Each structure stands twice: as structure tokens, then as C-alpha cells.
Amino acid sequence: MNKTLKNIFIYIGLSCLVTSCNVMKRVKKSDYLLTENTTIVNGKKNNTEDISNLYYQKPNGKLPLLGTPLRLHIYNLARPNIDSILQEKIYNNPRKVAWKTKLLSRKQLEKDIESRKNLNRWLKETGEAPVIVDEVKTQKTATNLKNYYFRNGWFDVKTSYEIAKGEDQRATVTYNVETGDPYIIDSLNAKISTPIIDSLYQQKLKKGSLIKKGERYIEDNFSGERERLTTALRNSGFYHFGQDYISYDIDTIGTNKKVNTDLVIKNRTIRNEDSTSRVPFKVYKIKEVNVFTDYKFENKDLTLKDSTYYNGFNLYSFDKLKYKPKTLTDAIFITKGDVFKDIDRTRTYRYLSNLNTFRYPTIDYIENANDTTLTVNIMLSPEKKYKLGFRFDVTQSNIQTIGFSFSTGLNIKNVFRGAETLEISALGSIGASDDAGNSKDQFFDINEVGANLRLTIPRLFFPTNTEKIIPKYMTPSTRISFGATSQRNIGLDKQTLNGIFNYNWYPSTKVTNNLDLFNIQFVKNLNTANYFGVYQNSYNRLNTIAQTYNSNASYLDEDGNLTYPEGTDGFISDVLNNNTALTPDDDNYIDVSNISQREQRLTEDNLIFSSSFNYTKDRRENIFDNDFSILRFKLEFAGNLLSNLSKLAGADKNENDQYEIFGVAFSQYIKGEFDYVKHWDLGKKNIFAVRSYFGIAVPYGNSNSIPFSKSFFAGGPNDNRAWTAYNLGPGSSKTTNEFNEANFKINLSMEQRFNILGNLNGALFVDAGNIWNVFDNVEDEDAIFSGFSSLKDIAIGSGFGLRYDFKFFILRGDIGFKTYDPSYSLGNRWFNDYNFGNAVYNIGINYPF
């Protein structure tokens, strides 16, 4: 399949190259190919997206920068009469049919012919037919332009068009628009038939009107005002009200381009069998709220067995009631005695859905004939109480030749009758490392086991009532989880324990707040003696220095290399205690010191007791919105509670002046992150996207460095794409570490995205950023951020990429080139490795930001 696609693209590319001048191949002699649309408004060219969207005909699309109508070339490769051609060349030639069936068999011949038809069909569907100038569509476009300006206040607008036809059968269309002066809103009077609605409008609703005196007439403002008033009235008890009852009378006769507007709201229409009457609207109230807790269609004729009245709600069940009444009533915003509000229904739908306990609920309003009240029936269909899942994977990586993993999870709904969800999961894996076959140990020498327990509560689990601070319409929830894993022969081997107490709530549809009240992580490294076996780059550098300075023979093996951990630890100790020829001013001494610091940091056990707050504001309207912004902010504190408790308890400090819990010095730091993404829709499937990210983590108190898991790194498919992950920085340092990390980060990216053909898109990008150390114990000046002067060490990468849209996900491939590399000396940083040999090839899923 891959070979076939490759051949197809090679064929298309070569054919397009050969036929690049023959875009007229499928244009009849009597037709003209449309090459350009131009709109002149009051003597000035207007090429905005709003105007472009009004064209009934647009020229064939061209590739950005190259200007080649690729899809038109692809279309031209197809044969318009493929069926008749194949009939004439093959079926109508008995000798050829006999020869081919003898060589291929009749069935294979049929498949060969079908494949030709399929290729021809693919070329037509993927390509784009030549756009032929059609005067009828040109007239429609001129009418569209006229209507557009009319709707936006230029009532005297005039439009015309000119078609310029060339001798080469190419044509351009120029549209001329003369708008005249716009019409201005001069007055807005309300003619409202229902007195109670008139009073509400005059007292409250009039102030927020989208139609304002002195502004240009814009039809969309009238539509928006109609929607605003309808929403407000339906949230004020007017159950039968709809947009159709609102209209506008507009008078522009003899007003000198002024618009006098009457807002008209008619009475309610009641249609009987043989007559129609109008009556004033009335405010409806909620008389009863009935909740059927275990409704199924097959139960509709059964007798209810259980019922409860709680806080104004009637709860019914076909079986025994399985939920705490308060749990259900807290999720319902429709309240007995309140006036009807559409928003209460919307909020109830959302809250009940977020319980993850019921299928999408049904809410019915039934009008009571004797009065202006409504009975509300809410039908809830519970999901299955127990769900069990399994997963099995086979993997391969650069550290293991083969691995097998198994995970399982049990999901229990309504575990404490309060719509809580309990999830119990476990995982296990075994694998064979690259050198397992050369060892006397067992073949499967890598293993991992773990378990996790998570409880989700659909409300804030707190000793006091939080309704005034975080109302229930924000659908708050609490998540409590505990987990443990144990890894063997993976790096340094480690055991981890974690526990999280988390709150989550949504102040609006665009804002998400997430608070980790407590987040506890404990990491214990089990095989620290293997540090230099894992981090080979550090070992190789240390070994080279040891050999250069004739290290103690007891530190070396029979090949003259440092043993570890005895030899590496001994040599580092000798250097730092000045027992070798190296002095603190030597570069090699500094390298050994840095290697020692890094070893100590990556092998130490970590205890992190933190609290954090996450704020996200996502302005996307839907998944198809290409013009939006996303703001993310996170603030995290760690170690303050443990530090204060240690002081109050008078705990002793260790030799490094640190408090310890269970023999481990806990981490103390403050960490902040800011992430902003903005997309601009430029039209014609062109999108310009930018991202800015800033992060800093400052150790203090009980720590002089940040835990590795909380540090920042640079490079990778979603970061600076000209460097691989963990390979950039810190600063201008020339480290050869496997993982470069630091506690301060800047990242800026911009990307131009465009369509190539069909679902295939392209992108040009520039990424800039780096990581540095700041306010910690790192002494390498090249790795430290020392002020604005350090911004000269921001790395810049640029490149291009291809993306294929599968609708449900996007497969992305990017090629990044090192444009400005801070690891080189100043004055020699631009375009040193700007070639395909040093490029970084990234593969990812979905867009990088």
C-alpha cells in the first residue's frame, strides 16, 4: 500500500512538472478559465475574507509561495471518458483481450481495468476541475455584494461587473461597488402588546440593546437583539415565547439617511381548530418536579414501587431508590415555586450528564390546563453499575527488545449512593532489555507493577457549605486518588507513591478551574549504583578525564576504564577534595563538579507535598473554530506545610541543613507557568497560529534545587522542533547529557498553516526558546539566566511540515532546522547546521499548539 501511494505521488509530481504549462488542457475552446476576482469598493480594492466568501466562483486554488494550481493539474491527469477509452482499447480488440486473459486471466484483467477506473476517479475527486467563467454566477456574485452592503447599512449601494477575456482563454472578473453614504439609527421605539413584557423591557432589558442610536444600521445587530430578548424573556417565566413574536418596523422615507425603528413584540397566538386568537403572555411557574430515577422505555407501563418527597422534589423509582435524594436534587436547577427559566433546564442537563451515572436525561415540561403552572418530569436512565475493562500491549523501544503489558480496571457507579464513581485499576508489564541475552539473568529482566484507586465525587467534598463561593451551576467535583508503582531494571529502578485531593469546577463554558488541594508524590530510587550505567554520556566524559589524569589504578578495570560505582565515586571524591592535579579553575574540574551535582540530584529520593491552582480559558466555540485563543495559568507551592510543621515540632536538620520526613528531605519550591495560544483564521484554509510559554520554578527553604520531575526541558515535536526532546540548553552550555533540564523556560512559536489538496495540509514554522537555571545550586555560568543579556541564548529553529487530516485526528510530520544555535560561540550561531543532514524529523498526533 505504501509503495503504491509513493508511486502515485511520484507520477503526479512528474506529470505536473511536464504539464505545468498546460492548465488549459480541459478547457473548451469556447470557454474561459477564471484566474482572478477583484472587488473595487468606492475606488479601492477590497480583498477581505468577508468579500471573498461572497463569490459564487473562485479561481482554482494555488499552493502558497509556489503559486501552482496543483489540484487543477491533478484533475487534468484524469481521462474524462475513461469508460469509452477502455472499451475501445481493450474490449473492442479481441486480440488484446485474448492476449491479456491468457497472461492475466479474465478475473485479473477485470481487476486491472477496475484499478484504472479507480485511479481515474481518485484523480478527479482529489483534483479540482477548471473554474470556467459563468456569467450567471457572476451576476449572482454582484447581487451577493449588493445584498451584503445593503445588510450593513448602505441602502443606496450599486454594483456592476466587468469580465476581461484574454486571447489565451483566461479571464478575470472585476466587481465595482459604489456604496453611497450609510444609513444611521436615529430612533428606537418599543411597541409591546403584553404589559408585563413592556414593563420588563423598559426597566431592565432596554439598557443592553444591541441597536444603538447614532450607529450605522447593521442587520446582524437586529438578529442579535432578537436572540437576546428571546433568551431574556424565556428566562423570565414566559414559557410560550419565541423569536417569531419579535419584529421590526423600519422607516427610511424622507429621513435624510436616518433609520427610525419600531421594536414590535406581539401577544401570544393561540390556534384552535377553526380560529386564531391573541392573548397577552403570562409568567409560568413550576408547580411540581418529578424525578424518575430508574426510567426505561420498557418500564413505562409498570407500577412505581418507591417514592420520596425531598426538598420540594418528588422522587420515584420502579425499584428501590438507590440514590441519596440530596445527590439528585443538588443536580437539578428547576425548583418548585420558581418561574420558568430555559437556563435552568440547560444547567440541569449539563450537571446530570457530568455525574457520569446516567445516560443523557430527558426533561419534559407539561402545561397545567387550570392555571399558569408547569409540571416537570425528569427521566433518568442509570448506566450499568459495574464496568470491567482489559488492555494488552506489545511494545519495543530503545531500551528493550520486546515488552508485554497488561492493565485492567473496574469502574463502579454510585458506590456510596451519592453518584460517586470508584475506579480501581492495576497494571503489570515484563520486558527484555537489549543486553538481556548476554546476561546470566533471566530473559525478561524488566518488570513493572502498579495499582491506582480513584474516587470521583460530584460535588465539593468540604466540611462547610461552599455554595456561595462556588455555586452548583459551576458543576463542581472532587477527585481523590492513590497510586503506587514499582519498576525494576528500568533506569535506576524506582518505587513511587502518590496521592491527590483535587477540586474541579467550571465558572463558565469557556473557563475551567482546577485546584490540587494536596498532591503528594514519593519517589525512591532503588538502584542508584547503576547511575553511570544509565547515563552513559556523563560516564564517558568522566572516564575520559580519569584516563587523562592517570587516575588511581584501583578505580579502573582491566581495560583501563572507570568501574562504577566504586571507581566513579572514588575519582569524583579525589577531584573535589583536590587529590588530583586538577584545580578548581580547570575546565575538567568544573565538568567533574557538574557531573557530581547532576548525579546527586538524579539519584536522590524525592518527597513532594504540593498544592496548585490551574486556570484555563478556552475561547473555542467548537472543534471547527479556527479563530480563537487559549489562556492557561498554573501556580504551584510545595513544602510549606511540612516546613512549618517541622519548625513547630522542633525537628532536627540533617548535615545539609534540611528537614527530613521518613529519612527523605522534602522539596520546597514555588512554580509558575503561563501559556497563551492564539489562532487567526485568514480564510481559504489559511491559519496563522502563535504560542508563548513562560515557566519558572524557584527552590527555597528546604531545597536548593528543583526535583527532576518538576523541571523544564526544551526541544521535541511540540516544543522547539529543530532539537530533539531534552537536547536543547540549558543556556549556551555545550552539555552532552541525555536529559538537559533547568528551572526557567521561555518558548515562543509561530506557524502558518495552509491547505495543499484535499485533507493534506502544510505548515511553515519558527520556534524560539531555551531553558536556564536560576536561583538554584548550578554554578555553570553558561547555563544560568543572568538577566536580559541571557536572551541572546534563545535558540531559533525553523522548518516546514505536512499534516493529514483523518477527521478524528491529525497525523503530523515536521522537519526542523537549527537556525540559531546558542551552543556555538557568539558571532557564529546562525545557520551552522541548517541542512537536511542535521535536521530533526518529528512525527506527532494533532497540532503542536
Side-chain angles (χ1 to χ4, degrees):
M1 183 65 181
N2 292 334
K3 186 176 181 181
T4 302
L5 286 175
K6 181 180 178 182
N7 291 336
I8 289 174
F9 284 116
I10 291 174
Y11 170 66
I12 292 172
L14 292 175
S15 300
C16 290
L17 195 63
V18 172
T19 62
S20 59
C21 297
N22 193 18
V23 295
M24 311 298 293
K25 184 177 181 180
R26 303 298 180 199
V27 179
K28 298 178 181 178
K29 291 184 178 181
S30 59
D31 292 334
Y32 288 83
L33 180 70
L34 178 63
T35 59
E36 185 179 9
N37 285 323
T38 303
T39 298
I40 306 297
V41 181
N42 298 327
K44 295 182 180 180
K45 186 175 181 180
N46 187 328
N47 59 356
T48 61
E49 181 66 13
D50 288 340
I51 296 300
S52 178
N53 287 336
L54 300 174
Y55 296 140
Y56 266 87
Q57 279 190 305
K58 297 180 183 181
N60 292 99
K62 297 180 180 180
L63 288 178
L65 302 179
L66 299 177
T68 303
L70 177 60
R71 293 186 65 190
L72 175 56
H73 284 305
I74 294 174
Y75 182 88
N76 285 342
L77 295 175
R79 305 298 291 270
N81 52 344
I82 187 68
D83 290 330
S84 60
I85 291 174
L86 292 173
Q87 181 71 33
E88 179 66 28
K89 286 188 174 183
I90 299 178
Y91 290 121
N92 292 347
N93 189 333
R95 288 185 178 181
K96 183 174 287 189
V97 172
W99 173 77
K100 283 184 172 288
T101 52
K102 186 176 181 181
L103 179 67
L104 298 175
S105 83
R106 184 75 184 192
K107 186 176 182 179
Q108 289 177 320
L109 174 60
E110 296 290 345
K111 286 187 176 181
D112 178 61
I113 292 173
E114 186 63 28
S115 67
R116 295 190 192 188
K117 292 180 180 180
N118 290 338
L119 175 59
N120 200 74
R121 189 183 304 112
W122 182 86
L123 291 171
K124 281 187 174 182
E125 293 174 353
T126 304
E128 183 181 46
V131 179
I132 306 301
V133 174
D134 184 332
E135 190 150 0
V136 173
K137 292 182 178 179
T138 305
Q139 290 173 351
K140 287 184 177 180
T141 299
T143 302
N144 258 6
L145 288 166
K146 184 175 182 177
N147 292 338
Y148 170 80
Y149 281 97
F150 188 92
R151 291 194 304 270
N152 284 280
W154 287 279
F155 295 162
D156 300 325
V157 62
K158 296 178 181 179
T159 60
S160 61
Y161 63 87
E162 299 173 4
I163 300 176
K165 299 179 179 179
E167 295 181 358
D168 57 357
Q169 287 188 262
R170 290 173 169 86
T172 62
V173 180
T174 301
Y175 299 94
N176 294 294
V177 180
E178 295 294 334
T179 64
D181 295 328
Y183 280 66
I184 305 300
I185 303 293
D186 188 56
S187 64
L188 176 63
N189 302 310
K191 296 182 178 180
I192 302 174
S193 301
T194 301
I196 190 172
I197 293 181
D198 184 47
S199 175
L200 181 63
Y201 176 81
Q202 298 296 343
Q203 293 178 16
K204 294 183 179 181
L205 303 181
K206 185 176 181 179
K207 295 179 182 178
S209 177
L210 302 179
I211 305 170
K212 295 181 172 59
K213 182 179 179 179
E215 293 187 356
R216 173 167 51 89
Y217 173 92
I218 300 175
E219 188 174 292
D220 286 348
N221 287 346
F222 284 76
S223 300
E225 178 67 2
R226 183 183 287 111
E227 292 178 4
R228 186 186 75 90
L229 292 176
T230 301
T231 299
L233 293 173
R234 285 190 61 81
N235 286 329
S236 301
F238 299 99
Y239 174 69
H240 290 288
F241 194 86
Q243 279 195 35
D244 293 343
Y245 289 104
I246 302 176
S247 62
Y248 297 96
D249 289 340
I250 297 173
D251 180 19
T252 60
I253 300 175
T255 61
N256 193 25
K257 297 188 183 297
K258 303 293 184 182
V259 179
N260 296 317
T261 305
D262 291 336
L263 166 67
V264 180
I265 301 181
K266 299 178 181 179
N267 280 335
R268 177 191 171 194
T269 301
I270 297 180
R271 292 181 174 84
N272 299 314
E273 291 184 1
D274 54 358
S275 64
T276 300
S277 61
R278 286 191 177 274
V279 298
F281 282 98
K282 296 179 180 180
V283 174
Y284 278 72
K285 291 188 175 182
I286 306 300
K287 184 176 183 179
E288 298 287 346
V289 181
N290 303 317
V291 184
F292 299 87
T293 64
D294 55 355
Y295 177 81
K296 296 179 182 178
F297 180 78
E298 54 267 30
N299 291 346
K300 62 185 179 65
D301 297 324
L302 298 180
T303 302
L304 294 166
K305 294 183 179 180
D306 196 359
S307 64
T308 300
Y309 181 82
Y310 179 82
N311 201 23
F313 295 88
N314 301 312
L315 306 178
Y316 299 103
S317 177
F318 292 96
D319 203 341
K320 184 178 179 181
L321 185 64
K322 299 177 181 179
Y323 305 91
K324 294 178 181 177
K326 187 176 187 306
T327 298
L328 299 179
T329 58
D330 279 352
I332 299 171
F333 293 82
I334 306 166
T335 306
K336 180 179 179 179
D338 283 358
V339 298
F340 164 80
K341 295 179 183 178
D342 242 356
I343 193 171
D344 288 343
R345 173 163 46 184
T346 302
R347 287 173 172 173
T348 300
Y349 273 129
R350 187 173 72 172
Y351 202 122
L352 287 171
S353 298
N354 285 343
L355 289 178
N356 292 320
T357 301
F358 305 99
R359 300 181 185 93
Y360 198 73
T362 300
I363 302 177
D364 291 332
Y365 287 83
I366 301 173
E367 185 178 358
N368 297 305
N370 299 328
D371 53 26
T372 55
T373 62
L374 300 168
T375 296
V376 183
N377 293 328
I378 301 175
M379 275 72 79
L380 304 177
S381 298
E383 292 187 357
K384 292 182 179 179
K385 185 176 180 65
Y386 299 99
K387 285 186 179 180
L388 184 62
F390 299 93
R391 181 172 177 174
F392 179 77
D393 293 311
V394 180
T395 58
Q396 190 275 334
S397 69
N398 60 343
I399 65 169
Q400 64 178 11
T401 55
I402 191 170
F404 302 95
S405 63
F406 171 82
S407 61
T408 183
L410 176 63
N411 192 300
I412 308 174
K413 304 285 187 181
N414 194 38
V415 64
F416 300 121
R417 299 183 64 242
E420 305 91 351
T421 301
L422 179 65
E423 298 173 64
I424 305 171
S425 59
L427 63 90
S429 66
I430 57 173
S433 65
D434 283 338
D435 58 352
N438 299 324
S439 172
K440 295 181 181 179
D441 298 330
Q442 59 183 357
F443 181 69
F444 290 108
D445 58 339
I446 295 176
N447 63 76
E448 179 179 8
V449 294
N452 192 70
L453 184 71
R454 181 168 67 179
L455 177 67
T456 302
I457 305 172
R459 55 193 170 275
L460 293 189
F461 188 71
F462 199 75
T464 60
N465 192 340
T466 59
E467 176 70 20
K468 292 183 179 180
I469 303 174
I470 303 177
K472 68 177 184 178
Y473 75 82
M474 296 183 183
T475 57
S477 62
T478 304
R479 179 169 59 93
I480 305 171
S481 68
F482 300 95
T485 60
S486 178
Q487 297 176 342
R488 293 284 181 176
N489 292 323
I490 301 177
L492 303 178
D493 297 349
K494 63 180 179 180
Q495 292 176 340
T496 62
L497 297 172
N498 64 78
I500 300 174
F501 193 100
N502 169 270
Y503 294 133
N504 198 71
W505 68 98
Y506 304 88
S508 71
T509 56
K510 299 184 184 303
V511 176
T512 301
N513 289 331
N514 191 289
L515 173 65
D516 276 355
L517 193 61
F518 301 112
N519 189 326
I520 305 171
Q521 300 177 52
F522 174 71
V523 179
K524 182 177 180 61
N525 293 303
L526 305 175
N527 190 16
T528 58
N530 193 39
Y531 175 81
F532 286 107
V534 174
Y535 297 96
Q536 284 288 313
N537 289 345
S538 294
Y539 171 78
N540 291 338
R541 178 59 184 152
L542 187 67
N543 191 45
T544 299
I545 297 173
Q547 292 173 340
T548 302
Y549 287 89
N550 298 319
S551 177
N552 189 320
S554 63
Y555 300 156
L556 307 176
D557 61 18
E558 58 185 14
D559 296 322
N561 297 315
L562 282 173
T563 60
Y564 56 83
E566 293 82 4
T568 51
D569 291 349
F571 178 66
I572 291 173
S573 177
D574 284 349
V575 171
L576 299 183
N577 290 312
N578 299 317
N579 293 329
T580 67
L582 289 169
T583 64
D585 294 331
D586 292 330
D587 289 341
N588 287 326
Y589 182 98
I590 296 173
D591 284 349
V592 173
S593 178
N594 290 337
I595 290 171
S596 176
Q597 291 176 2
R598 183 174 175 82
E599 178 193 11
Q600 182 178 358
R601 184 175 175 198
L602 297 186
T603 58
E604 66 182 2
D605 297 334
N606 294 131
L607 176 60
I608 304 173
F609 196 110
S610 66
S611 300
S612 65
F613 175 75
N614 284 270
Y615 172 89
T616 302
K617 188 169 188 177
D618 189 340
R619 293 183 179 274
R620 277 179 296 194
E621 297 294 334
N622 51 62
I623 60 174
F624 303 107
D625 188 3
N626 292 319
D627 200 314
F628 63 90
S629 64
I630 302 175
L631 172 65
R632 299 183 183 92
F633 172 76
K634 180 179 181 179
L635 186 62
E636 180 178 358
F637 294 91
N640 293 339
L641 178 62
L642 296 182
S643 178
N644 291 330
L645 290 176
S646 297
K647 290 177 182 178
L648 290 174
D652 295 327
K653 293 185 176 181
N654 61 19
E655 65 275 10
N656 295 320
D657 198 32
Q658 295 174 305
Y659 292 114
E660 292 183 346
I661 302 292
F662 305 121
V664 178
F666 57 84
S667 299
Q668 190 171 8
Y669 59 85
I670 178 173
K671 182 179 182 180
E673 297 176 74
F674 175 87
D675 191 1
Y676 180 75
V677 174
K678 173 65 178 173
H679 288 206
W680 288 273
D681 190 343
L682 305 179
K684 299 180 181 178
K685 296 185 178 181
N686 280 272
I687 300 168
F688 184 68
V690 298
R691 181 193 185 194
S692 58
Y693 177 90
F694 301 90
I696 185 171
V698 180
Y700 65 95
N702 210 55
S703 296
N704 54 22
S705 65
I706 300 298
F708 181 82
S709 61
K710 296 294 182 178
S711 297
F712 301 107
F713 71 92
N718 296 325
D719 198 87
N720 197 321
R721 284 162 278 186
W723 279 262
T724 57
Y726 294 98
N727 195 39
L728 175 59
S732 62
S733 59
K734 302 175 180 62
T735 65
T736 58
N737 295 323
E738 288 85 353
F739 302 101
N740 292 312
E741 41 76 38
N743 65 328
F744 177 53
K745 178 176 181 177
I746 297 176
N747 184 65
L748 306 167
S749 294
M750 60 181 178
E751 184 169 283
Q752 176 68 52
R753 300 165 185 169
F754 51 87
N755 181 252
I756 297 176
L757 59 87
N759 293 328
L760 182 63
N761 301 300
L764 302 173
F765 62 83
V766 176
D767 300 323
N770 207 335
I771 55 173
W772 293 268
N773 290 98
V774 60
F775 305 126
D776 62 6
N777 60 355
V778 173
E779 299 176 359
D780 185 355
E781 293 184 0
D782 291 336
I784 296 174
F785 188 87
S786 55
F788 286 106
S789 61
S790 295
L791 296 179
K792 68 180 183 300
D793 296 331
I794 287 182
I796 300 176
S798 58
F800 61 90
L802 296 174
R803 292 87 192 275
Y804 192 86
D805 190 350
F806 287 95
K807 302 305 180 183
F808 51 94
F809 75 94
I810 293 169
L811 180 63
R812 171 170 54 92
D814 290 325
I815 303 176
F817 301 91
K818 295 178 177 62
T819 308
Y820 179 87
D821 190 345
S823 66
Y824 286 91
S825 59
L826 278 173
N828 187 37
R829 295 181 171 182
W830 288 98
F831 303 106
N832 277 295
D833 299 314
Y834 202 85
N835 52 63
F836 284 97
N838 291 295
V840 174
Y841 298 83
N842 301 279
I843 296 178
I845 300 296
N846 295 328
Y847 290 109
F849 55 88

